């Protein structure tokens, strides 16, 4: 619904922001290197992140819990997205 935004950072974290207030409502911690990309799932329930630590992670948008780590790349993961 556009009420939240997610950002990716060189500090190894992604953050979820309340668009109306500008307040950080959740910090996604668990990557060991830069987070290049972060994106909400089409239904807004999950977030996927791509990192220089050679992994992508799946997160609960509500709790910020890491649900799964996708491993197998030999170099940093530059992008990740959900299917439509």
């Amino acid at each position: 619904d556009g009420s939240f935004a997610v950002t990716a950072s060189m500090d190894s974290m992604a953050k979820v922001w309340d668009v109306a207030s500008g307040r950080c409502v959740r910090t996604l911690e668990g990557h060991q290197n830069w987070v290049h990309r972060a994106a909400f799932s089409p239904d807004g329930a999950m977030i996927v992140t791509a990192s220089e630590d050679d992994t992508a992670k799946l997160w609960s948008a509500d709790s910020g819990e890491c649900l799964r780590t996708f491993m197998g790349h030999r170099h940093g993961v530059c992008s990740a997205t959900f299917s439509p």
Side-chain angles (χ1 to χ4, degrees):
D1 68 359
S3 57
F4 296 98
V6 63
T7 57
S9 176
M10 292 171 56
D11 64 7
S12 304
M13 294 183 280
K15 292 185 178 277
V16 179
W17 304 86
D18 180 291
V19 172
S21 70
R23 185 175 64 89
C24 177
V25 295
R26 196 155 291 102
T27 299
L28 308 178
E29 297 182 77
H31 282 293
Q32 302 303 308
N33 208 327
W34 300 358
V35 178
H36 290 291
R37 175 143 166 88
F40 279 101
S41 62
D43 64 2
M46 293 178 287
I47 295 168
V48 65
T49 54
S51 173
E52 189 64 24
D53 68 5
D54 306 347
T55 71
K57 291 183 180 286
L58 182 68
W59 310 82
S60 164
D62 288 331
S63 70
E65 174 188 2
C66 181
L67 303 173
R68 178 162 291 132
T69 299
F70 302 103
M71 296 182 289
H73 289 282
R74 288 185 263 167
H75 298 287
V77 181
C78 298
S79 185
T81 190
F82 289 92
S83 62

